[in-house]
Structures are given as C-alpha cells and as structure tokens.
C-alpha cells in the first residue's frame, strides 16, 4: 500500500476543461455575433443602395390608408396604425378566447357523455375541425358564407334581434345616452365594495369554518350597487336592437363580415383543440378518485364539481394556455380576409412603400409582446396551482 | 423456509372482462335513453344531426356543381407543371410506393419477430383496410373527379407496386432505422426523377404536389436543426444556452405568417449584391424550416429530459466520450420517445403549408381560390365547392396521419392521458 500524493498543479490550458469551456463559448459567441453583424451590414448596405431608409422613423409618417370600422384617418401616423391593429387583434383574440373556451369545454365534456349519440357527434366535430387548416375554415366562412349573405334590403332577422346581411352581423348592444362618468364612479365604488365583501366572507370562513359563498356575496354586492347606480344616474345606457333600413342598419353593434369570419373560424378551430385537452385532462384524473367519491356517497354532479374537475383543471392549464397563445398567433390570418389587425396593417403599409425589414421587425415585436404577456400570466397561474413538492 | 423464486409459475396477466354485446334494444335503452335527460338529448341531437346530414348530403350530391373540380383536377394537383412531363410525377409516385411499401414491410416483419420472441408489444387489431381508410377515400374521390381511365390504371399500378413491395419487404426484416433509410433513399430518388435529366425544377411545382413537398422537405430539414437546438438549449455552457433559448422563444412567439413575410421580403436584402434572390419556393421553405425547427427543438427537449440521468452516468463510467454518449445513448432513447410528438408536428406543418398561399405561392388552397376566377366559372359562387374540396384533401391526409400516430402511441405504450 503506497501513499498517493495528489498534485495541485493545474493541467495545461489545452487540456483544462475550465479553460476549454470559456474558450469554446467565446468562439461560439464570436461566430454568432459575426454572422448577425454580417447580415445586418449586408441588409443596411442593400437598403441604402436602393434608397430605402434604415431607421424606424418611417413610423411617424402619415399612413395613407384608412382602416374600416374605426376612427383611424389616413393622415394619422403609421405608428398609430400599428396601435389600431393591436387593438383589433385584441378585440378578436379576447372574444375568441372566451368563446373557444366555452365551446371547447362543452364539447370536451360531451365527448365523455354516457349518451352514445352525443359522444359520437362531439367526436365527429373534433375530428372534423382539428384536421383542417384554420386558414381554410376562416376563408370559407368569409367567402363562402358571410359575403354571400343577402344585402341589407333583403336581410334576414333572427328573432327580430340580430340582423344578418352581407355587411355583417348586427347584434343588440348598449348605447350610451347619458353621462358615463357618473356611472364609472358608481362602478368603481361597486368593485371596492365587492372586494370588501370578498375579504369579509373569507375572514368569516377562516374564523368559523362556515361556507363562505364569497363569489355569490361579492357578485351580489357588485350587481346590487350597479343596479342602484344605473337608475340613480338616470339610466345612462340603453339596450338597442338594430333597425333595418334600405341601405344600412341603425343602432346595435356591428360585426363586420371579416371580423365575424375570423372570430368564428378561430373559435371553432381552437374549440376543437380545447375539447381534446379537456377530455384528456378529465380522463387523466385517476379513476380511484371517482370511485372514492362514489363510495363516499357524492352524487354525479358533486363528484364532478368537487373532485374531478378541480384536479382536471390543474392538469389542463398549460396546454389550454398554449391553445390561447395559438389563437392569438392565428389571429394574424386576418390578413387573408382583410380584417385590419396588426398583420394586415403591416402588409398594407409594406405595399404602400413602408420599408419591409423594419415593418416586419415591428410586427414580430408586437407578437412577441402578446406571447410573453400571456406566457407570464400563465406561469403565475401555474405556479399558484402547482401541488407543493412538485 | 424462503420461497424459491425460480420454481414459481409465471402468473398470467388478468384477463379483461368480456365486452358485453347487447342486443339492439337493450343497447339503445342503456346508451340513448338511460334517463329522462338522456332521452331529451338523444331526440334533440338526432334531429339536429339528421338535418345537418340532409343539408350536407343534398349539397354534395345534388346542388353542388362539381364540374369546376373535374375540369381543374390536374391544376389542383400540380398547378403549372408542364403537362408533357407529367409522366415524371407518376414515375416518382411509383418509386415512392415501392420504397414506402418495402420499408413498411420490413418494419412489419421486424415487429412480428419481436412479438414472437416476446420482446414487443402485442399487435393491435385494426385491419389494413380500416387503417388505410381515409387515404383510400381520398384517392377514390380524386379518381372520381379525374374521370380518366389512364389515371385510374396508373393509380392501380402504384397501389399494386406498393403492396408488392410490402410483401417483398416482409421477407427481409430490417430494423426501424434501416427501414427509415430505405424510405429516405426512395424519397430522394423520387425527387431526382422529377427534377433531374431535363426535368422540372422545384421552383415550378405547384398544387397539392407543392404542399406535400413543402411539408416533407420542411420536416426533414428542420429535424437536424431542431435536434441541435434542443441539445444546445440543455448545454451547460451559458452562452450556447442563451443563444438557443433566444432563437426558440423568438420563433415560437411569432405567428408563422410573420416568419413567412420575413423570409419572403427580407431574405433578398440579406444577401450580398452578386447573389441572386432565391425563388419564392426556397424562401417559403426557409421560413417553414426556421419556424418548425423551434417547435421540433421543444419536442426533442422534452424527450431529452425523459432520458434517465443514470444512462449518462453509466456511459461516463464506461468511459464513453461526450459525443458518443449523446449520439449512441441519449439521442436514440430521446427520439424514440417523442416520435408521436414529431408526427403531430408534421401534421401541423402539413396544415400550415396552406399559409404560403398568402405570400403568393400556388399551392392547393391558392389554386382552389384561383380556379374560381377562370372565365368559365367566374362569379358563380363556386368558391364553396373548391374550398370544400381543398378542405377535404387536407382533412384526409391529416386525419389518417393522426390515427396512425395514435396507433403508434398505443404501441409504444405512451401517452395514456
């Protein structure tokens, strides 16, 4: 048995792992930087030679095109046009997310129904719309349905409430006839009181263990305050049903054919994906949970509400959030149906001689902003839902 | 006295309870009319479904004017491809049928041998006819619209060649990787048949052929790129990791149409003055590859995370170099576990190729919109028929691939969601 003497001499640099790691990273970053700089230099060279500007100041120039269904005038700047585009994207994305979730959850639960016909019908819906490109669905709704509706003079009215014509759908909506500011104050007060009710009921629950019903309490307080305020401020909102004239409709809220086609297409497509996720998440709750719930004597509805759905919800949050992200990104297909969301506005501005490189970079930045915001919110929700120890 | 393990009889797996085959009336009573609510649902849904089927059937069989599809079927399949060179397309289909059939047969033989030796999963019980259902339906519809004896005979020849190659392949059992190499060689040969020797360059392809080309080319090219990105994202070197994360998050956060705009408009500016701008097909393919490789990277990363750390440690203990560990130990296991995910991404890519219509390429969707502007069919509202046809073609391919992917998942024993 010999004593082993360890030397603390470092290996030579060309065999030293630490040196090699740093050297490799330095070379890697250098290569990437050189590549990107080369692309940048070539691009600016080419642009300069063609007389196209290479900065972002083009955004201050007047747009030169109008945006339908909005107050945007062609004399406003391209930057404002991009903002209007983002607004329109948000309009279709938010409503699309809500509708797709509702429809998707319904179809997903229907796929697990004990009724054979309901189950097969839901399966047919999912398999039909999941496998067709969303662009075809959207274009089909636009060209094949909405633009082929009759003109206003011969439009159909559904239940005397909704006017359906080739200028879109007009649905009844609230019209502001009084001062909105007073009602805004009332709404704020209502929200504060509802929050107070929520906290109070939570404290009662912590103290006594009685059921808190805090959603009902907070919601009830809010509704009561809003109702009182509505009448107290002299009924500032009026529910208007659209009136059909010869050439136009008056009143109500108009969804243009482009908007309706994009919204419907996105909703139906995303709902089919969400239905699959909902079904998968309900199926992945261990069957023992349902059996235990039955053994304890919970009814079917109670089992769903208290045992299965809460666990399924936790599992489904990441994939459903991914589908929301996909819906926001798919809203860019409004460019194919002439709905003036941010991609269409970018395309129009490029065709009006805005510099293509900068315009597309702005477009990508806008979508990155949307994506990162949704991802952030999702991560927060996910972290709050994660079981401890995972 | 301890029980001797080697004398224990293996316990057979518990049998599943026999499926009840109820007579029709009992089945209806249980599945359709179980409770009052059930009965109401059944009646309502039966009415709605019957009405839908009536309207759709009436439209498809009676009202629709399918003449536009019949006259333009070649247009829809290959768009501007010179008609006198169409024999190349048929020759390529024959080569593809032969190589795909051979590869599938070799794979089936290997699987059958694995099951016999007790190593593989038991086979699933779907007949070949049921498996090929959507594709057979698509081919039947296409032939019906083509109304050409020559096309029918050629299609039958392609089918017979495929089946013959399958039977031949069954005698030669190959492992999965070797079978994949045969298929890849077949694809390359088919490509050469169309392009080489005075053929038609891929810049002039169009229609459904362009759709398939972009989808297959896209997934094949983005696969190595995606694997490299996934490995880089898990690298212990922070510089490499940051660059890979930035790339992946950038291309997953923007819509495909923005990437296609980028490649359509910007690539010309990124090239030095002497170099010609690549054709629109190349630019679209570059955009698709850049976009898809980010998604493939995320999928492969999931697979890499699923490989147990003990594998790497054991390989290190055996003295394998890092390169060997990655290529021989980690990647094969990782890739095998994410094959269903990769197939899902391929299906998405197949559907997303429809977006290149927006940047001006004449693939299936674009052709189906253009043919309604022909003088004979202008302003007749035939867009419904053509869009339905395009939707059906996409649907058949995607539905077939997703069913095969589910079969594959079941066979690999994964994804029991």
């Amino acid at each position: 048995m010999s004593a082993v003497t360890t030397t603390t001499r470092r290996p030579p640099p060309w065999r030293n792992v630490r040196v090699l790691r740093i050297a490799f990273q330095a070379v890697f970053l250098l290569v990437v930087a050189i590549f990107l700089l080369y692309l940048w230099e070539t691009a600016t060279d080419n642009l300069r030679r063609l007389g196209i500007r290479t900065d972002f100041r083009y955004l201050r120039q007047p747009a030169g095109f109008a945006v339908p269904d909005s107050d945007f005038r062609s004399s406003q700047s391209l930057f404002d046009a991009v903002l209007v585009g983002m607004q329109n994207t948000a309009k279709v994305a938010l409503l699309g997310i809500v509708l797709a979730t509702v429809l998707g959850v319904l179809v997903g639960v229907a796929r697990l129904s004990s009724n054979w016909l309901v189950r097969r019908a839901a399966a047919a819906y999912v398999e039909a719309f999941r496998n067709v490109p969303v662009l075809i669905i959207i274009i089909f709704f636009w060209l094949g349905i909405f633009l082929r509706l009759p003109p206003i003079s011969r439009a159909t009215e559904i239940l005397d409430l909704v006017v359906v014509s080739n200028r879109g759908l007009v649905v009844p909506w609230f019209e502001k006839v009084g001062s909105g500011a007073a009602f805004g104050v009332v709404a704020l007060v209502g929200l504060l009181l509802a929050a107070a009710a929520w906290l109070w009921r939570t404290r009662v629950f912590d103290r006594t263990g009685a059921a808190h019903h805090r959603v009902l309490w907070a919601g009830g307080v809010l509704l009561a305050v809003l109702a009182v305020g509505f009448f107290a401020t002299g009924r500032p909102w009026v529910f208007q049903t659209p009136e059909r004239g010869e050439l136009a409709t008056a009143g109500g809220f108009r969804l243009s054919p482009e908007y309706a086609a994009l919204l419907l297409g996105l909703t139906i497509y995303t709902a089919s994906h969400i239905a699959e996720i909902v079904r998968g998440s309900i199926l992945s709750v261990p069957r023992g949970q349902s059996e235990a719930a039955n053994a304890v004597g919970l009814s079917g509805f109670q089992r769903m509400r208290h045992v299965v759905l809460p666990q399924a919800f936790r599992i489904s949050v990441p994939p459903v959030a991914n589908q929301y992200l996909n819906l926001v990104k798919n809203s860019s297909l409004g460019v194919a149906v002439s709905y003036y969301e941010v991609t269409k506005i970018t395309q129009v501005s490029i065709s009006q001689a805005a510099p293509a490189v900068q315009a597309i970079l702005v477009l990508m930045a806008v979508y990155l902003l949307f994506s990162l915001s949704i991802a952030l919110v999702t991560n927060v929700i996910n972290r709050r839902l994660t079981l401890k120890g995972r | 006295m301890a029980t001797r393990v080697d004398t224990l009889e293996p316990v057979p797996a518990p049998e599943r309870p026999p499926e009840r085959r109820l007579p029709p009336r009992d089945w209806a009573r249980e599945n359709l009319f179980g409770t009052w609510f059930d009965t109401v649902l059944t009646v309502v849904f039966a009415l709605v479904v019957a009405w839908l089927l009536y309207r759709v059937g009436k439209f498809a069989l009676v009202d629709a004017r399918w003449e536009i599809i019949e006259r333009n079927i070649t247009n829809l399949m290959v768009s501007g491809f010179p008609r006198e060179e169409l024999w190349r397309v048929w020759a390529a289909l024959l080569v593809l049928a032969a190589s795909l059939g051979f590869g599938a047969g070799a794979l089936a033989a290997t699987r059958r041998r694995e099951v016999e030796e007790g190593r593989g999963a038991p086979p699933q019980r779907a007949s070949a006819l049921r498996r090929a259902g959507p594709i057979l339906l698509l081919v039947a519809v296409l032939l019906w619209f083509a109304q050409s004896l020559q096309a029918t005979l050629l299609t039958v020849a392609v089918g017979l060649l495929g089946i013959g190659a399958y039977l031949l392949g069954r005698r030669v059992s190959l492992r999965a990787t070797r079978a994949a190499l045969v298929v890849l060689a077949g694809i390359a040969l088919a490509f050469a048949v169309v392009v080489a020797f005075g053929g038609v360059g891929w810049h002039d392809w169009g229609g459904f052929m362009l759709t398939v080309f972009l989808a297959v080319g896209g997934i094949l090219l983005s696969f190595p790129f995606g694997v490299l990105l996934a490995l880089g994202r898990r690298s212990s070197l922070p510089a490499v990791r940051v660059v890979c994360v930035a790339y992946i998050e950038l291309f997953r956060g923007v819509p495909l149409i923005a990437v296609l705009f980028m490649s359509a408009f910007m690539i010309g500016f990124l090239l030095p003055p002497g170099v010609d701008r690549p054709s629109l097909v190349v630019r679209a393919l570059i955009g698709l590859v850049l976009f898809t490789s980010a998604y493939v990277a995320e999928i492969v990363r999931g697979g890499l995370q699923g490989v147990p750390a003990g594998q790497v440690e054991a390989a290190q203990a055996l003295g394998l170099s890092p390169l060997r560990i990655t290529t021989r130990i980690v990647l094969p296991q990782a890739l095998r576990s994410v094959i269903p995910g990769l197939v899902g991404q391929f299906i998405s890519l197949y559907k997303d190729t429809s977006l290149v219509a927006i940047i001006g390429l004449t693939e299936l969707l674009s052709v189906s919109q253009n043919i309604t502007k022909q003088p004979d069919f202008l302003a007749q509202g035939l867009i419904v028929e053509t869009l339905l046809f395009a939707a059906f073609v996409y649907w058949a391919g995607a539905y077939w691939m997703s069913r095969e992917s589910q079969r594959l998942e079941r066979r690999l024993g994964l994804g029991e969601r």
Side-chain angles (χ1 to χ4, degrees):
Chain A
M1 199 166 76
S2 62
V4 179
T5 48
T6 50
T7 53
T8 47
R9 265 205 314 250
R10 287 194 231 114
W14 46 275
R15 266 197 292 136
N16 185 346
V17 172
R18 289 219 297 250
V19 170
L20 284 178
R21 280 165 62 101
I22 296 181
F24 181 78
Q25 286 181 78
V27 168
F28 180 76
L29 283 177
L30 203 64
V31 166
V32 170
I34 289 179
F35 178 65
L36 289 176
L37 263 171
Y38 171 72
L39 286 180
W40 181 253
E41 282 301 314
T42 322
T44 44
D45 265 352
N46 284 329
L47 286 176
R48 218 169 288 138
R49 203 156 10 92
L50 289 168
I52 307 176
R53 45 158 42 114
T54 57
D55 53 21
F56 284 88
R57 243 173 280 151
Y58 78 97
L59 285 168
R60 294 217 203 103
Q61 290 197 327
F65 58 88
V67 173
D69 287 332
S70 86
D71 300 323
F72 184 80
R73 271 182 298 277
S74 59
S75 53
Q76 289 177 262
S77 70
L78 273 174
F79 183 71
D80 286 340
V82 170
L83 288 180
V84 169
M86 287 172 69
Q87 250 182 341
N88 283 340
T89 300
K91 272 201 286 198
V92 76
L94 284 173
L95 196 53
I97 285 178
V98 168
L99 291 177
T101 310
V102 168
L103 183 58
V105 169
L106 278 176
V107 175
V109 171
R111 273 204 75 166
L112 297 168
S113 162
S114 55
N115 187 317
W116 177 86
L117 190 57
V118 172
R119 212 165 50 226
R120 299 295 278 198
Y125 168 89
V126 169
E127 288 304 326
F129 287 106
R130 221 161 53 116
N131 294 309
V132 178
V134 58
L135 182 59
I136 294 189
I137 300 178
I138 293 173
I139 294 184
F140 181 80
F141 271 114
W142 187 51
L143 290 178
I145 297 187
F146 281 109
L147 288 187
R148 298 197 343 153
L149 289 171
I152 292 189
S153 51
R154 282 183 283 131
T156 44
E157 288 190 60
I158 304 180
L159 298 175
D160 275 349
L161 282 179
V162 178
V163 179
V164 176
S165 73
N166 65 0
R167 291 220 36 214
L169 297 171
V170 193
V171 295
W173 198 241
F174 301 99
E175 200 63 46
K176 193 157 70 139
V177 295
S179 136
F183 190 73
V185 170
V186 168
L188 202 60
V189 168
L191 280 173
L192 288 173
L193 285 178
W198 179 286
L199 289 173
W200 167 60
R201 290 306 301 180
T202 311
R203 202 164 304 146
V204 165
F205 172 69
D206 286 340
R207 242 194 344 210
T208 66
H212 49 65
H213 295 307
R214 56 188 181 186
V215 173
L216 288 176
W217 272 92
V221 164
L222 182 63
L223 278 176
V225 171
L226 285 179
V228 167
F230 180 69
F231 288 104
T233 52
R235 294 211 219 172
W237 305 88
V238 167
F239 192 69
Q240 246 190 14
T241 48
E243 294 292 326
R244 184 161 67 86
E246 268 300 310
L247 291 176
T249 56
F253 178 67
R254 190 172 80 91
L255 301 114
S256 65
E258 293 79 35
Y259 178 76
L262 185 61
L263 183 67
L264 267 176
L266 284 177
T267 302
I268 290 185
Y269 179 76
T270 313
S272 67
H273 284 266
I274 292 183
E276 273 302 276
I277 293 171
V278 165
R279 170 176 161 263
S281 63
I282 292 183
L283 284 180
S284 61
V285 175
R287 202 181 311 174
Q289 299 281 313
S290 299
E291 294 173 354
N294 285 335
V296 173
L298 296 178
S299 76
F301 182 73
Q302 286 172 323
R303 183 180 78 234
M304 276 286 147
R305 157 95 173 73
H306 293 283
V307 177
V308 177
L309 287 183
Q311 298 184 61
F313 176 71
R314 184 187 302 128
I315 296 174
S316 68
V317 164
V320 167
N322 198 27
Q323 287 306 318
Y324 289 167
L325 210 58
N326 282 344
L327 190 143
V328 172
K329 289 190 286 182
N330 283 335
S331 72
S332 60
L333 294 176
V335 69
V337 296
S338 287
Y339 175 67
Y340 275 74
E341 43 73 53
V342 64
T343 315
K344 174 70 181 173
I345 287 191
T346 305
Q347 189 207 41
V348 172
S349 41
I350 291 180
S351 69
Q352 302 255 9
V357 177
Q358 290 94 307
I360 293 173
L361 285 176
V362 167
L363 177 67
M364 292 171 89
V366 166
Y367 275 108
L368 276 177
L369 191 69
F370 280 127
S371 304
L372 290 177
S373 331
I374 294 187
L376 209 75
V377 171
T378 310
N379 279 342
V380 166
I381 296 181
N382 227 4
R383 210 168 303 143
R384 291 206 51 180
L385 285 178
T386 324
L387 301 169
K388 304 268 188 318
R390 294 230 176 155
Chain B
M1 187 163 81
T3 319
R4 291 189 48 156
V5 177
D6 55 334
T7 56
L8 289 177
E9 293 288 318
V11 179
E15 287 181 4
R16 319 193 68 181
E19 287 184 21
R20 305 181 301 158
R21 306 299 309 240
L22 293 172
R25 189 178 303 172
D26 293 336
W27 178 88
R29 181 135 29 100
E30 184 175 314
N31 283 307
L32 292 176
F33 303 106
T35 69
W36 278 114
F37 188 57
D38 249 2
T39 313
V40 168
L41 272 182
T42 304
V43 167
V44 167
F45 267 79
L47 286 174
V48 169
V49 168
W51 179 80
L52 268 176
L53 284 177
Y54 167 70
R55 289 303 299 254
V56 170
K58 182 161 174 288
F59 175 79
L61 298 173
V62 176
D63 291 338
R65 296 150 290 176
W66 294 113
E67 192 195 348
I68 183 174
I69 310 280
E70 288 169 16
R71 290 249 290 265
N72 283 297
I73 188 73
T74 319
N75 230 347
L76 285 161
M77 289 292 112
V78 296
S79 187
F81 203 88
R83 300 293 185 254
E84 63 274 7
E85 304 280 348
L86 270 183
W87 63 269
R88 291 178 183 268
V89 178
W90 287 109
L93 282 176
L94 286 168
V95 169
L96 278 175
S99 60
L100 281 171
F102 190 80
L107 206 54
T110 315
R111 287 211 200 122
R112 169 119 40 100
R113 217 181 44 181
E114 276 179 9
V115 171
E116 280 167 15
E117 294 173 7
R119 275 189 291 127
Q124 297 170 57
R125 276 167 299 152
S127 71
L129 205 61
R130 189 159 182 274
R131 278 178 70 175
I135 292 295
L136 289 179
L137 182 63
L138 175 64
V139 170
V141 166
L142 289 177
L143 284 178
W144 187 81
F145 279 122
Q147 312 239 331
S148 141
L149 184 62
Q150 185 193 39
T152 315
L153 288 177
L154 282 169
T155 309
V156 168
V158 168
L160 286 177
L161 184 60
I163 294 177
Y166 179 82
L167 293 171
L168 191 62
R170 271 230 298 238
R171 292 162 180 272
V172 181
S173 105
L174 294 173
R175 275 201 327 251
T177 36
R178 299 250 173 90
L181 277 177
V182 167
V183 171
L184 280 178
I187 293 178
L189 186 58
F191 184 74
V193 163
V194 183
V195 171
F197 305 118
V200 183
W202 45 308
H203 315 285
D204 301 318
W205 293 9
F208 186 51
M209 193 165 89
L210 182 61
T211 301
V212 172
F213 169 69
L214 285 176
V216 172
I219 201 74
L220 285 179
L221 289 175
S222 58
F223 183 70
F225 206 18
V227 169
L228 283 177
L229 278 171
L231 290 171
R233 191 175 169 158
R234 280 168 48 92
S235 162
S236 55
L237 305 175
V240 175
R241 198 169 56 232
V242 164
V243 168
C244 290
V245 167
Y247 178 97
I248 293 175
E249 291 305 319
L250 172 69
F251 280 97
R252 273 167 47 104
V254 296
L256 177 56
I257 191 67
V259 176
L260 286 176
F261 275 172
M262 179 188 86
S263 61
F265 290 118
M266 275 172 59
I267 286 189
F269 293 119
L270 297 175
L271 293 170
V275 181
D276 280 336
R277 194 167 74 154
S279 74
L280 192 55
V281 175
V282 178
R283 280 179 276 150
L285 192 57
I286 290 178
L288 288 173
V289 168
L290 287 176
F291 183 79
T292 308
S293 49
Y295 285 81
V296 168
E298 281 296 281
I299 294 172
V300 171
R301 180 171 82 111
L304 288 172
Q305 279 176 339
V307 175
Q311 298 281 312
V312 176
E313 292 167 1
Q316 286 169 340
L318 285 175
L320 295 179
S321 73
L323 183 67
R324 277 263 163 86
I325 297 179
T326 310
T327 55
R328 298 285 190 156
I329 307 288
V330 175
L331 271 186
Q333 298 183 54
L335 292 176
R336 192 164 179 277
S337 68
V338 296
I339 288 178
L342 288 174
V343 174
Q345 189 58 40
F346 177 57
I347 297 174
S348 292
L349 181 58
Y350 170 70
K351 292 187 297 175
D352 286 340
T353 54
S354 55
L355 267 69
V356 304
I358 299 181
I359 54 173
L361 275 180
T362 48
E363 48 71 62
L364 182 60
L365 176 61
S366 170
V367 173
S368 51
Q369 284 181 284
N370 290 341
I371 57 180
T372 60
K373 304 200 182 102
Q374 290 171 335
D376 280 344
F377 303 113
L378 190 53
Q380 305 277 332
L382 286 163
I383 190 73
V384 176
E385 280 89 343
T386 57
L387 280 182
L388 277 179
F389 176 77
F392 172 70
V393 173
Y394 276 110
W395 176 86
Y399 183 57
W400 176 69
M401 284 191 283
S402 73
R403 272 227 306 235
E404 287 297 305
S405 166
Q406 284 166 5
R407 267 182 67 94
L408 189 59
E409 267 186 57
R410 273 197 296 263
R411 194 180 74 81
L412 293 174
L414 307 162
E416 207 35 34
R417 282 226 63 203

